[in-house]
Amino acid sequence: MTDETPKPESEKAVRAEQVDPAEKPMPTLWEQMGGMVGFISASIPVAVFVIVNWATSMGPAIWSAVGAAVLIAVIRIIRKEQLMPAVSGIFGVAIAAFIAYRVGEAKGFFLYGIWVSGVLGGSFLVSMFVRWPLVGVIWSTLNGHGLGWRKDPKSRRDYDIATAAWTLVFASRVVVQQWLYNADETTLLGVARIAMGYPLTAIALLVTVWAVRRVDKRDKAREEAEKAESETVERELRAKYDTPAQESPLRYYGINWSLTGCGRGGDSATLAP
C-alpha cells in the first residue's frame, strides 16, 4: 500500500505563505530624523569641542571633535546603520575644524554652520519671490510628482508657507549665532548650535509635512475629477457614434439581396422585391 499523503512543504515556506505581509507603518517624524541616536550623534562632536576647548585649548578640542565624529561613524558601521549621516557628520566636523585652525580661534569652529545657514536661508527666501518655493521643488523632484502644483495658487501658497518656515529657521540661526560669535562667546555658541539644531528642524519639518499632505490631497482630488470628466466625455462619444449596426441599404428600400448556390462551381445572386 503506497502512502498517498502529500509531503508537507518546509516550515519556512508555509509560514511565508500564511503570513500576509502588511504594509509597514510610515515612520514618525522623530524616526525620520534619526531618533535619539541621530540627535546624540549630531550633538556629541560639538559638545566634545566645547568641553575640551573650555578645559584645555583649541588644538585638543579640534582633534577631540574629529575623533568623536569618526568614532560615531565606526559605531554606525558596526551596527549596520545608515552610513550617510555618519559620513556627512565627519565631513562637516572636518570643515569646521579646518576653519577654526585657519582663523586661529575656537569660535571659528562654528563659522561653517553659520555660513551654511545663511546660504540656505537666502536660497529659500529668494525661491518664494520667484514663485518657485524650494520645499515644493525639492519634494516634487525627490518623489517624481512633477511641478503641476505651480498652476494651483493654493498649492503654491502651502509650499510658500513651508518654505517660509525653513527660512525663519535658518535666519534665526544666523542672527543668534553670529551675535554670539561677535561677542566671543564660544561656549554659548556650542549651546546655541545644539539647541537650535534638531528642535527648530523638527518644527520646520512639521510645517513641511502639513503642506505636503494638503497639496497631495488636492492633487488626488484633481486627478479624480479629470478622470471622471474624461470618462464622461468618452461615454458621450460612444453614445453618439457607436450606434447599432444599420441594416443593409437595399433592404431599407424593400429589396432583398440573397446569395444562392455559393460553391466551387460559381456564385449566383437573386433579387427579390
Side-chain angles (χ1 to χ4, degrees), residues 13 25 44 47 49 51 56-57 76 80 120 124 136 146 148 153 173 204 207 212 229-230 232 263-264:
I44 286 178
F49 178 86
I51 294 173
T56 58
S57 62
R76 294 183 71 93
K80 297 182 179 180
L120 292 176
F124 276 71
R173 289 175 181 173
V207 180
V212 167
E229 183 179 359
S230 176
T232 301
R264 289 186 179 181

Side-chain angles (χ1 to χ4, degrees), residues 257-269:
W257 176 272
S258 62
L259 292 176
T260 58
C262 296
R264 289 186 179 181
D267 296 340
S268 62

Side-chain angles (χ1 to χ4, degrees), residues 131-269:
R131 306 173 69 86
W132 284 81
L134 271 180
V135 170
V137 174
I138 294 173
W139 176 257
S140 302
T141 302
L142 292 177
N143 296 274
H145 290 172
L147 300 174
W149 54 266
R150 292 193 66 251
K151 300 178 182 178
D152 182 17
K154 293 182 179 180
S155 297
R156 192 170 60 247
R157 180 203 59 196
D158 292 339
Y159 280 139
D160 278 336
I161 295 174
T163 303
W166 283 102
T167 302
L168 291 175
V169 168
F170 294 128
S172 63
R173 289 175 181 173
V174 172
V175 172
V176 173
Q177 295 179 29
Q178 185 65 49
W179 177 72
L180 292 173
Y181 179 88
N182 295 334
D184 294 328
E185 296 289 349
T186 304
T187 301
L188 291 179
L189 259 175
V191 174
R193 171 76 173 273
I194 296 173
M196 303 182 76
Y198 267 59
L200 293 185
T201 300
I203 295 175
L205 282 176
L206 283 174
V207 180
T208 300
V209 171
W210 169 83
V212 167
R213 287 181 175 177
R214 284 173 60 89
V215 174
D216 285 350
K217 183 178 180 180
R218 197 175 292 115
D219 288 344
K220 290 180 180 178
R222 184 171 60 253
E223 290 176 359
E224 291 177 357
E226 292 176 352
K227 183 179 179 181
E229 183 179 359
S230 176
E231 292 177 351
T232 301
V233 173
E234 183 178 356
R235 284 197 300 268
E236 292 177 354
L237 291 176
R238 287 181 179 276
K240 183 176 181 180
Y241 295 105
D242 292 355
T243 56
Q246 298 291 334
E247 293 183 346
S248 172
L250 296 178
R251 182 178 296 275
Y252 177 80
Y253 288 105
I255 301 174
N256 184 15
W257 176 272
S258 62
L259 292 176
T260 58
C262 296
R264 289 186 179 181
D267 296 340
S268 62

